[in-house]
Amino acid sequence: MKKIAFLIVSATILFACGTSKDKGDSSNTAQTASSTNDSETEIREEEPIAEEPKIIERDHYNPSATILTDLIHTKLEVSFNWAESQLNGNATLTCSPYFYSTDSLILDAKAMEVFSVMLDGKPLKFKYNDRKFLRIKLDREYSKEEKYTVSIKYIAKPEEKELGGSSAISSDKGLYFINPTGEDPNQMPQIWTQGETEASSVWFPTIDRPNQKTTQEIYITVEDKYKTLSNGKLVSSKKNGDGTRTDCWKQELPHVPYLFMMAVGEYKIVEDSYTRPDGTEMAVNYYVEPEWEEHAQAIFGETPEMIGFFSELLGVEYPWDKYHQVVAREYVSGAMENTGAVVFGDFVYKTKRELIDGNDHSIIAHELFHHWFGDLVTCESWANLPLNESFANYSQYLWDEHYYGRDEADYNAEKEAEGYYQSAAQMGHHDMIWYDYDEKEDMFDGHSYNKGGRILHMLRYYLGDDAFFASLKYYLTTHQYEPVEIHDLRLAFEEISGEDLNWFFNQWFFASYHPELEVTQDLSVPDQVTLRIEQTQDLEKAPLYKLPLKIAVFDNGNKTTHDVVIDKNINEYTFRFKGKLDNIIVDEDRILLGSINHDKPREWYIHQFYNAPLYKDREQGLVYGSRERSEAGKQLIIDALEDDFWYVRQLAIGKLKKVKRDQPEVVYNKLTQIINTDPSSYVRAAAVKFIANEFFEGEYENKTRGLLSQAIEKDSSYYVVSKGLSGLTNGNEDDIAKALELAEKMEDENSSKMRSQIMSIYKDHAGKEKLDYMSNTILEGKVTGYDAIGAMGSFTGLLKKQDLETQEKYLSTYEKLSEDGGAYVQAVLGMNVMLLKRSADEHASKLNTELKQLEKEGNEEKAVAKRLEHEKAADFAEKVTALLNGLK
């Protein structure tokens, strides 16, 4: 939001003597004066007071940080005070003035106790009054040709930092001690760090800006039972003779301070490797808790293939010396691309059986791709964050396309685009390169990630694969180990393609919103169609786009593709066709980020399903073609059950009601076949759900009960099993009791998704006896990621139904989660407490109404009891309100 400040001084035009006869006393006064001295009577208007000029400020602008000092090398020596959640550190920084000579050094150092600063063994004067910046007076003035090295002894106290954060990174404490004293027997004590955006300076003094790069070595002293992980290679590991060990990790290639990391814990290390083109092997290890050791390869095992794929695709070999991955509890984000040492939240912990229902390839690919875009080449300012995150987002498409095929890639890309639309609707549209953000954390939204990935996809299709990837290679090799801004990327594409691309970058990176197209066709002239395409986006807020697109025209079993450029608000194109016009597809490649509203006949959509090849073609064909109330529309649904792509089959199942009315037996047999044979657990689950909802009655009741029991007992997918259990609750009381009995037996399954689904069933069909299980499961971290979000909703849903005493008993669950809930729980904790508050307020209000009615009736005996009941309810509502207000 652009801010313009005005200073307005109001000036009033005053009149000494009013002339209006409606002014009462003023009129009388004038008349008196006139009668007193007619010869001198004169009514004069005072001169107006000059209006003060408006003071106009320049638009708010967040520049790249001014570089006063170059960080050259950072050496850290650290140990830990687990009991106090503190780090004992010594930082040795080698620096040089950037250009101007200087006799001072200013470092970011947050919430520390600084004991001394030394240079060449001599103490230096320093100021650290605000506990944010360490201001050091050097022993003399240094020029840019000179280096100097300072050594800082300090204690990092992250628990004393004033916390901030964002929706993407829920805390900026930098250094995290999880269960440090071992009080929780269900959680492995561990330490991990999170540096982005500027939180590395909570655990070591540095210049915590994205346009700084430094080499690194770190000596970590821990009890010998612990494993450590940091950037670079483990060059030494020395036992100290007192039960401790010091590991030295060294990275000789420079990277930005926010990528520095540590992880400490009793991890198991599962070793893997990647073979470089020259035949040398690079370590690729997975750090997991002991109980997850047997599943680590299944979780992360595609990593070496990903490294090879991206290296070959970009023409730039993976540039770092190793690639390890570690899983952290209560992690404050999804994952973080720390150079060669990536941290993941515990949502990636999945058993081999859980992985049947979905893996985390997309986020593994995302963090890996950052090692080129973000780590090797880094955005110089947070306003340029899309140079990191847009590429990482697009890596997910590239991997999906390579590993699963284009249908899966296009499907997930559509979800990414929807994420951008939702984010923009809730938080507002802004330029991709957003120099006037309010807080740097605001950059971590659906623009920098989702929209950026879609923009790169459009650019790839415009230039072609050869030019697109050659440009990326040029960009990476030209700017390796350097900070960059968006113009560097544009210039790289222009250097390779030979084309001025300002038009593309201006409308997509330096403007807001997205195109909205309205498409109509005119067939009034025989054998030709005139297509009218209007850009209907608000041109006060969005640009008038230049959109190179393909338009496919289908006629008489043939297809003709036309390349067009939509660059006006109203565009018309005339195409000839032979015989019958079967369909027109605007944006044949399905690449445009924006909406296309094309009013065309339903029979065109039916043709589209059978004749256009892409996922979006078939999905649209099914959605709109199935609205045709004819046999062709119904047959379309039946045929879609055989589609190659799982989501189209799942979508078709949801439309089977239209066929069931006339062909119930056909539908039931198709669904039975799907439940028994479909390779996708999501499609099988959809079939189970449909049968449970539509056939659990009449002549199909017993057969359906058998199918549901079969799904619960035999299917390998937890998701299908959970839909079977939920489906049983659609039956009679015996079926519900059976479902609850089976759910209880599965409570100890090592599956976050299964536990979350069980809780959903308990929310609707169990009583307060299940609240202990639900509370403990959430508090012990046995549901993770999005499963934890669902579990929270189920817990709150069941708790709201209970009596006041029960609700008060479990209020402590929310209090504990406010301290140690992890990122996903924290994201929805406030909403859940708000729902509980709303329920509590409504209950107190209802009791108050009943109390007033009793008082009105004069029924004091009942009023006394009701008053006490109301006081307790109001007191509980106040407690919930206080909890809500106190949430971080």
Side-chain angles (χ1 to χ4, degrees):
M1 180 173 64
K2 295 181 180 179
K3 298 181 178 179
I4 300 177
F6 295 95
L7 178 61
I8 301 176
V9 178
S10 298
T12 305
I13 300 178
L14 301 176
F15 296 90
C17 300
T19 59
S20 171
K21 293 181 180 180
D22 295 329
K23 293 298 182 181
D25 292 343
S26 295
S27 178
N28 293 338
T29 303
Q31 290 170 3
T32 303
S34 177
S35 63
T36 303
N37 190 353
D38 289 342
S39 64
E40 295 182 9
T41 299
E42 183 177 357
I43 301 174
R44 293 178 304 198
E45 182 174 313
E46 285 193 358
E47 293 295 325
I49 298 174
E51 183 177 345
E52 290 287 340
K54 298 174 181 177
I55 296 177
I56 303 175
E57 293 184 355
R58 290 166 56 84
D59 290 349
H60 176 60
Y61 177 77
N62 293 292
S64 301
T66 300
I67 305 175
L68 302 175
T69 300
D70 258 340
L71 274 176
I72 298 171
H73 183 68
T74 300
K75 175 184 175 183
L76 302 175
E77 298 163 277
V78 303
S79 62
F80 306 100
N81 180 343
W82 290 75
E84 300 295 330
S85 295
Q86 296 177 355
L87 175 150
N88 305 307
N90 193 79
T92 303
L93 309 179
T94 301
C95 308
S96 177
Y98 182 73
F99 183 83
Y100 298 105
S101 297
T102 185
D103 63 355
S104 63
L105 171 64
I106 302 175
L107 300 173
D108 296 285
K110 305 179 180 82
M112 296 180 182
E113 183 176 357
V114 179
F115 297 104
S116 64
V117 180
M118 309 289 286
L119 191 155
D120 293 334
K122 299 177 182 179
L124 297 177
K125 294 180 179 180
F126 64 90
K127 291 183 179 180
Y128 188 53
N129 299 330
D130 59 5
R131 300 190 75 196
K132 293 180 180 179
F133 299 100
L134 179 60
R135 295 169 172 86
I136 302 170
K137 181 73 171 178
L138 301 175
D139 61 336
R140 62 179 178 84
E141 188 173 275
Y142 288 82
S143 70
K144 65 180 180 179
E145 288 79 21
E146 296 178 289
K147 296 179 183 179
Y148 60 87
T149 299
V150 297
S151 180
I152 305 161
K153 185 177 181 181
Y154 65 97
I155 295 178
K157 300 180 177 181
E159 299 304 316
E160 296 182 11
K161 184 188 179 299
E162 183 180 341
L163 292 182
S166 67
S167 58
I169 305 168
S170 63
S171 171
D172 62 354
K173 199 164 63 176
L175 174 64
Y176 298 81
F177 290 77
I178 307 303
N179 192 27
T181 60
E183 292 180 358
D184 184 353
N186 299 299
Q187 195 169 59
M188 182 187 82
Q190 56 195 262
I191 298 170
W192 45 264
T193 61
Q194 167 58 37
E196 197 175 34
T197 48
E198 296 172 5
S200 285
S201 50
V202 177
W203 64 279
F204 66 96
T206 187
I207 302 176
D208 209 352
R209 300 294 183 271
N211 57 359
Q212 283 284 349
K213 298 225 170 183
T214 171
T215 54
Q216 166 192 346
E217 61 181 311
I218 180 168
Y219 295 80
I220 306 174
T221 299
V222 294
E223 289 183 57
D224 198 31
K225 65 180 180 179
Y226 291 123
K227 300 292 194 302
T228 71
L229 175 63
S230 189
N231 315 96
K233 286 186 176 181
L234 180 63
V235 296
S236 68
S237 185
K238 177 185 176 183
K239 293 191 177 183
N240 300 319
D242 59 356
T244 67
R245 186 187 75 253
T246 299
D247 292 343
C248 176
W249 295 86
K250 188 172 184 179
Q251 180 162 297
E252 297 179 347
L253 298 173
H255 66 159
V256 69
Y258 74 73
L259 294 172
F260 280 44
M261 74 81 65
M262 293 183 301
V264 177
E266 292 184 74
Y267 288 104
K268 292 292 184 181
I269 302 175
V270 177
E271 296 184 354
D272 205 345
S273 64
Y274 162 68
T275 304
R276 295 185 184 273
D278 63 4
T280 59
E281 285 197 351
M282 181 186 79
V284 179
N285 297 342
Y286 317 128
Y287 285 60
V288 296
E289 293 169 18
E291 60 267 34
W292 291 97
E293 184 178 12
E294 64 177 298
H295 303 289
Q297 191 66 39
I299 295 168
F300 294 112
E302 303 303 328
T303 303
E305 183 179 342
M306 287 183 184
I307 297 172
F309 169 67
F310 288 138
S311 294
E312 182 177 356
L313 186 68
L314 295 170
V316 179
E317 181 59 24
Y318 176 79
W320 310 98
D321 46 22
K322 73 168 191 308
Y323 193 77
H324 294 350
Q325 295 164 103
V326 60
V327 184
R329 294 289 185 181
E330 298 181 22
Y331 192 50
V332 295
S333 186
M336 182 62 204
E337 65 271 16
N338 308 303
T339 311
V342 175
V343 179
F344 291 87
D346 58 9
F347 66 90
V348 299
Y349 277 147
K350 292 181 176 69
T351 64
K352 294 169 186 175
R353 186 177 179 184
E354 284 184 289
L355 288 167
I356 292 171
D357 296 323
N359 55 51
D360 292 296
H361 280 193
S362 64
I363 198 165
I364 294 171
H366 180 113
E367 304 309 326
L368 171 59
F369 211 60
H370 267 309
H371 283 68
W372 288 269
F373 299 92
D375 296 9
L376 179 63
V377 176
T378 310
C379 65
E380 72 171 24
S381 69
W382 298 117
N384 283 276
L385 183 67
L387 290 171
N388 295 8
E389 296 301 346
S390 297
F391 278 101
N393 179 275
Y394 192 47
S395 74
Q396 300 165 204
Y397 185 95
L398 296 172
W399 176 254
D400 285 343
E401 186 181 37
H402 164 76
Y403 195 79
Y404 299 105
R406 184 166 176 187
D407 279 351
E408 184 74 28
D410 283 351
Y411 167 78
N412 289 323
E414 184 177 50
K415 299 304 175 189
E416 293 293 324
E418 290 172 2
Y420 152 66
Y421 298 138
Q422 292 169 7
S423 171
Q426 293 171 4
M427 303 171 65
H429 292 264
H430 58 77
D431 296 354
M432 284 288 293
I433 305 303
W434 190 17
Y435 288 111
D436 58 343
Y437 60 76
D438 290 329
E439 299 289 342
K440 57 185 178 295
E441 284 76 15
D442 295 343
M443 287 297 304
F444 294 79
D445 68 355
H447 288 73
S448 294
Y449 290 74
N450 310 48
K451 184 179 183 180
R454 299 297 83 227
I455 291 171
L456 292 172
H457 190 57
M458 289 186 289
L459 184 58
R460 173 188 172 189
Y461 267 76
Y462 176 71
L463 294 174
D465 276 12
D466 288 347
F468 180 79
F469 290 109
S471 298
L472 296 187
K473 179 179 180 180
Y474 179 81
Y475 169 73
L476 291 170
T477 54
T478 302
H479 300 290
Q480 60 184 343
Y481 309 110
E482 292 179 356
V484 290
E485 60 179 330
I486 190 66
H487 298 296
D488 295 312
L489 181 66
R490 174 181 57 81
L491 291 169
F493 278 110
E494 292 181 348
E495 177 69 24
I496 296 300
S497 69
E499 179 179 349
D500 186 330
L501 291 170
N502 274 289
W503 65 269
F504 185 93
F505 279 74
N506 285 344
Q507 69 184 18
W508 287 113
F509 286 102
F510 291 106
S512 301
Y513 289 84
H514 51 264
E516 298 173 357
L517 305 183
E518 291 284 338
V519 183
T520 56
Q521 55 271 336
D522 180 359
L523 291 162
S524 58
V525 178
D527 300 327
Q528 75 177 37
V529 58
T530 297
L531 210 60
R532 180 186 175 97
I533 303 178
E534 296 185 46
Q535 294 195 45
T536 61
Q537 67 273 9
D538 185 350
L539 296 181
E540 293 293 320
K541 300 176 180 178
L544 183 65
Y545 288 91
K546 175 182 177 181
L547 303 173
L549 294 177
K550 293 180 179 180
I551 297 175
V553 178
F554 295 80
D555 63 347
N556 270 13
N558 298 310
K559 183 192 79 170
T560 305
T561 297
H562 303 272
D563 291 301
V564 303
V565 177
I566 300 167
D567 57 1
K568 297 181 285 294
N569 64 325
I570 299 174
N571 307 261
E572 289 191 350
Y573 310 94
T574 299
F575 307 118
R576 299 195 62 80
F577 62 88
K578 296 180 180 179
K580 181 186 176 185
L581 179 62
D582 295 314
N583 189 21
I584 296 173
I585 296 177
V586 176
D587 186 24
E588 183 187 12
D589 289 327
R590 302 295 188 179
I591 60 168
L592 181 67
L593 178 71
S595 64
I596 301 177
N597 182 23
H598 188 179
D599 183 17
K600 60 185 185 181
R602 289 175 182 170
E603 56 265 26
W604 285 19
Y605 283 110
I606 294 175
H607 179 276
Q608 180 172 306
F609 177 84
Y610 292 107
N611 293 277
L614 300 181
Y615 148 71
K616 192 61 183 176
D617 298 325
R618 304 191 318 274
E619 184 264 347
Q620 275 189 348
L622 175 58
V623 169
Y624 296 105
S626 62
R627 296 177 183 177
E628 176 68 21
R629 296 179 181 179
S630 66
E631 288 305 312
K634 294 177 183 178
Q635 189 59 46
L636 171 64
I637 296 170
I638 294 295
D639 291 343
L641 295 173
E642 307 294 332
D643 194 89
D644 289 339
F645 185 50
W646 67 268
Y647 180 71
V648 175
R649 301 197 301 275
Q650 183 189 74
L651 192 62
I653 290 171
K655 299 185 177 301
L656 281 172
K657 281 186 181 181
K658 298 177 181 180
V659 183
K660 175 182 176 262
R661 299 186 195 104
D662 302 323
Q663 305 175 62
E665 192 67 21
V666 170
V667 170
Y668 196 88
N669 290 338
K670 284 281 186 182
L671 291 171
T672 301
Q673 181 182 6
I674 288 170
I675 290 170
N676 289 326
T677 63
D678 198 282
S680 168
S681 62
Y682 286 95
V683 178
R684 298 198 304 276
V688 167
K689 181 178 178 180
F690 189 94
I691 273 189
N693 290 342
E694 300 295 327
F695 286 97
F696 208 173
E697 59 185 7
E699 63 180 295
Y700 293 99
E701 180 178 344
N702 287 332
K703 290 170 63 177
T704 297
R705 184 174 290 111
L707 269 179
L708 295 175
S709 297
Q710 173 188 314
I712 294 167
E713 295 169 6
K714 296 184 178 180
D715 203 283
S716 59
S717 159
Y718 281 125
Y719 189 53
V720 175
V721 171
S722 70
K723 292 303 177 186
L725 286 171
S726 181
L728 267 186
T729 64
N730 291 350
N732 57 36
E733 291 299 320
D734 289 340
D735 293 318
I736 295 173
K738 181 67 173 177
L740 291 172
E741 177 189 343
L742 291 171
E744 187 169 352
K745 290 180 179 178
M746 296 180 185
E747 286 180 355
D748 293 329
E749 286 286 328
N750 190 12
S751 167
S752 172
K753 185 178 291 294
M754 191 70 233
R755 294 185 188 112
S756 183
Q757 294 293 327
I758 287 172
M759 290 170 134
S760 178
I761 293 169
Y762 287 166
K763 173 179 70 75
D764 295 326
H765 300 285
K768 63 182 181 181
E769 72 279 356
K770 288 301 177 185
L771 286 170
D772 267 348
Y773 165 75
M774 297 171 79
S775 175
N776 292 335
T777 299
I778 297 171
L779 287 171
E780 293 171 9
K782 292 182 178 179
V783 281
T784 59
Y786 290 105
D787 298 330
I789 293 175
M792 282 295 301
S794 296
F795 175 69
T796 301
L798 180 57
L799 184 60
K800 286 194 307 177
K801 300 176 185 178
Q802 309 309 313
D803 59 75
L804 189 62
E805 183 181 355
T806 301
Q807 291 190 43
E808 190 144 15
K809 174 184 175 182
Y810 288 98
L811 189 60
S812 62
T813 299
Y814 299 94
E815 294 168 345
K816 293 174 183 176
L817 290 172
S818 71
E819 298 296 329
D820 302 307
Y824 286 87
V825 168
Q826 294 283 350
V828 296
L829 183 60
M831 181 181 68
N832 278 272
V833 176
M834 174 64 77
L835 291 172
L836 192 63
K837 176 186 180 302
R838 189 177 301 164
S839 175
D841 288 343
E842 289 173 356
H843 180 57
S845 178
K846 177 175 176 290
L847 290 175
N848 189 46
T849 301
E850 293 172 358
L851 172 60
K852 289 181 178 179
Q853 182 62 33
L854 289 171
E855 290 174 340
K856 183 179 179 181
E857 295 171 355
N859 193 337
E860 185 58 26
E861 182 179 349
K862 288 187 177 180
V864 169
K866 186 64 68 175
R867 190 174 296 112
L868 180 61
E869 188 180 0
H870 172 257
E871 287 173 356
K872 290 181 178 179
D875 181 62
F876 176 69
E878 287 182 8
K879 290 179 181 178
V880 179
T881 300
L883 173 61
L884 182 64
N885 292 336
L887 289 179
K888 297 174 182 177

